[in-house]
Amino acid sequence: MTKYIFVTGGVTSSLGKGIISASLAKLLQSRGYSVTIQKFDPYINIDPGTLNPYEHGECYVTEDGAETDLDLGHYERFLNTPTSKANNITTGRIYQNVINKEREGAFLGKTVQVVPHITDEIKRNIRILGESGEYDIVITELGGTVGDIESLPYIEAVRQFRWEVGSSNSLVIHLTLIPFLAAAGELKTKPTQHSVKMLLEYGIQPDILVCRTEHHLTMDIRKKIALFCNVNINAVIESIDASTIYDVPLLMLKEQLDKTVLTKLKLSHKNEPSLENWKEFLGRLKNPTSEVRIGLVGKYVELPDAYKSIVESFIHAGAKNECKVKVDYIHSEQLTIENAVERLKGLHGVLVAPGFGQRGFEGKIEAIRYVRENNIPFFGICLGMQCAVVEFGRNVLGLKDANSTEMNPETEFPVINMMEDQKKVIHKGGTMRLGAYPCDLKKNSKAAAIYGKAHISERHRHRYEFNNTYLKDYENAGLMPSGINPENNLVEIVELKNHPFFIGAQFHPELKSTVANPHPLFINFVAASLAYARKK
């Protein structure tokens, strides 16, 4: 039978439930167990696809085209296994499913209520992955903080679920905070005690407490927490601040979190974790032999989580190149013709990030013009690729008004146009071109050399595309479409001839970069930036 682990959070948000869940999953996977992680988000949006990145960080897209929480990116990067729409559920989706059933007549004669109908739907979603037969263990991360009104139906569903499957088939890990009061010079356990007390009021006794802390927990503090929170002393786990999230699996291994979990679930822990590759990655990450400065040009740069997957892809690619990638965040709205040179000089490479809308568009154009004319390595992703096409149209092909119809529907030269199948779309949520699509790479192109194969599959999230009316003009002038979708002739990759590295991708390569498999485009972009740095 599949075993279920629930991860809840207390005291405050942003303690790192996603990282703890991913780290535990990594340890269990390295012992030979098949593990997946799902995230339940308590907000009423159906998915985060329509949320501003300032609200919720980046929107992570799965292979099957689900727009999901950024924690799913951590799950994939740690486990190197793809997630799906079943791995991220929101309150909006739960209520939508129940209301649809009510309208169809599934509850005829009954009053539809939070208990049992909403909680039953939550439990059904908890079971979906477990009943697939693919996983020994399913870890479910509950978003929000215990005590939040919107989290209550999830906590109640977990209480019921545990009662139904039995104590040896499920457990609850409660992530909490042990704050350090500088004035008193000591760690305080009272917030944790109150958080656990609140869980107990809802009928849930946590089995394991993971305590986020800035200072090591003494044995006396561990004993105190164990006594007042009804847990074994070996179930009080210290989670001290780490220099990188990739340290956390090894810190949890040292605390024997995985062994405690397996013991409580009555599973074997004979097989020692196989983490040689992980340790090798960490060794390269922490001991770089060189350094590059790469500018990330975007309009959400005040919140690094808006570009989480891109930043993590740089970490993976940097480790592969034994090179520290220093990311310089550049606000595209603040880039102009007058200041672009000043703002971008000293960089060894520039990545122009994805995004939507007019704000910051012209700044991205200026950044691309500068790197194209000065032979500085350039990488454009989604809107970044479209900006490269617009910039080239204006400044090389002489199409002065060249633009995307997203920015100017009346443009004389719509070099980027809305996809045909998007023109009839009215609803905003989940209606873009989403998920994995195939791409054929042209022989002798830089893209084919980078991937080392002729056929690839990458994940998408867009409505606009390269306008094929202008294909020949661009090709003749030196901006080559080197990746094409075989089904609809959509241009997926453009690259500039006679440039050290100038590649734009319509898809999102950052969504497929993991610790075990850094993305080849990022590896080669960092390598090109490193070569440029050494030349200077």
Side-chain angles (χ1 to χ4, degrees), residues 175-446:
L175 180 61
T176 180
L177 177 69
I178 309 287
F180 179 77
L181 288 190
E186 59 184 359
L187 292 163
K188 291 294 182 184
T189 65
K190 193 62 73 179
T192 293
Q193 293 176 45
H194 281 299
S195 186
V196 171
K197 186 180 178 186
M198 192 169 285
L199 258 185
L200 285 166
E201 286 174 12
Y202 299 146
I204 292 177
Q205 166 64 56
D207 300 276
I208 296 169
L209 295 177
V210 175
C211 305
R212 279 299 305 274
T213 174
E214 296 172 30
H215 301 270
H216 290 290
L217 302 181
T218 63
M219 187 51 71
D220 283 345
I221 287 176
R222 288 181 193 246
K223 283 178 181 170
K224 186 177 180 181
I225 294 168
L227 177 65
F228 286 110
C229 299
N230 307 336
V231 297
N232 303 334
I233 192 159
N234 68 343
V236 178
I237 305 292
E238 173 189 282
S239 176
I240 200 154
D241 291 356
S243 60
T244 165
I245 58 171
Y246 299 108
D247 275 332
V248 179
L250 299 183
L251 293 172
M252 292 302 100
L253 178 67
K254 193 177 169 191
E255 286 286 301
Q256 299 193 332
L257 174 62
D258 55 328
K259 200 176 272 189
T260 305
V261 163
L262 292 171
T263 302
K264 287 185 181 292
L265 291 175
K266 295 187 167 48
L267 292 170
S268 167
H269 50 75
K270 279 185 206 158
N271 295 342
E272 283 303 308
S274 170
L275 291 165
E276 284 69 31
N277 292 343
W278 193 271
K279 288 174 182 171
E280 188 187 320
F281 160 75
L282 270 175
R284 288 198 308 272
L285 178 64
K286 292 185 172 186
N287 300 287
T289 56
S290 49
E291 182 176 300
V292 291
R293 279 185 64 212
I294 292 178
L296 193 161
V297 180
K299 64 176 180 177
Y300 305 114
V301 293
E302 300 94 329
L303 184 75
D305 269 4
Y307 303 112
K308 191 68 181 167
S309 292
I310 291 173
V311 173
E312 297 304 316
S313 298
F314 276 136
I315 290 172
H316 308 154
K320 189 76 175 174
N321 283 289
E322 295 187 14
C323 156
K324 180 176 176 59
V325 178
K326 289 192 79 172
V327 177
D328 191 350
Y329 293 96
I330 299 167
H331 204 303
S332 53
E333 258 190 304
Q334 293 162 10
L335 274 180
T336 62
I337 296 173
E338 292 75 32
N339 71 9
V341 175
E342 186 60 36
R343 189 66 190 85
L344 298 171
K345 72 178 185 187
L347 295 174
H348 308 128
V350 170
L351 183 144
V352 175
F356 296 92
Q358 174 70 40
R359 189 167 65 87
F361 184 74
E362 294 300 326
K364 290 179 177 181
I365 301 283
E366 284 311 315
I368 294 167
R369 177 176 187 162
Y370 176 75
V371 295
R372 179 181 58 78
E373 292 177 348
N374 291 279
N375 283 333
I376 299 166
F378 161 77
F379 189 13
I381 296 176
C382 199
L383 183 64
M385 172 267 206
Q386 295 173 7
C387 288
V389 171
V390 171
E391 188 279 328
F392 195 85
R394 289 181 189 176
N395 299 318
V396 177
L397 295 179
L399 310 173
K400 290 300 173 200
D401 182 39
N403 215 327
S404 163
T405 53
E406 179 185 6
M407 312 308 162
N408 177 11
E410 307 303 320
T411 177
E412 189 184 347
F413 303 109
V415 294
I416 300 293
N417 207 356
M418 186 177 271
M419 302 176 72
E420 279 305 316
D421 59 356
Q422 288 290 317
K423 289 179 180 174
K424 305 175 199 76
V425 171
I426 300 165
H427 293 292
K428 289 279 185 277
T431 53
M432 285 184 275
R433 179 181 172 84
L434 291 164
Y437 288 90
C439 172
D440 293 344
L441 303 179
K442 285 195 176 169
K443 275 184 188 172
N444 305 321
S445 66
K446 186 166 269 184

Side-chain angles (χ1 to χ4, degrees), residues 28 33 43 53 56 74 130 134 143 217 248 287 328 444 517:
L28 296 172
Y33 290 101
Y43 51 75
H56 210 70
H74 292 311
E134 292 177 48
L217 302 181
V248 179
N287 300 287
D328 191 350
N444 305 321
N517 285 307

Side-chain angles (χ1 to χ4, degrees), residues 42-105:
Y43 51 75
I44 295 174
N45 303 65
I46 302 297
D47 58 47
T50 55
L51 287 177
N52 187 313
Y54 288 133
E55 287 272 332
H56 210 70
E58 77 170 4
C59 174
Y60 189 83
V61 180
T62 58
E63 286 284 294
D64 61 353
E67 293 177 294
T68 68
D69 185 79
L70 62 78
D71 272 335
L72 271 73
H74 292 311
Y75 307 161
E76 290 200 11
R77 287 188 283 272
F78 275 60
L79 296 179
N80 198 37
T81 54
T83 52
S84 69
K85 67 179 179 184
N87 291 74
N88 191 201
I89 308 295
T90 66
T91 293
R93 173 119 27 109
I94 295 289
Y95 272 82
Q96 187 182 52
N97 291 348
V98 171
I99 289 165
N100 287 345
K101 282 182 191 171
E102 188 273 335
R103 292 289 82 186
E104 289 160 9

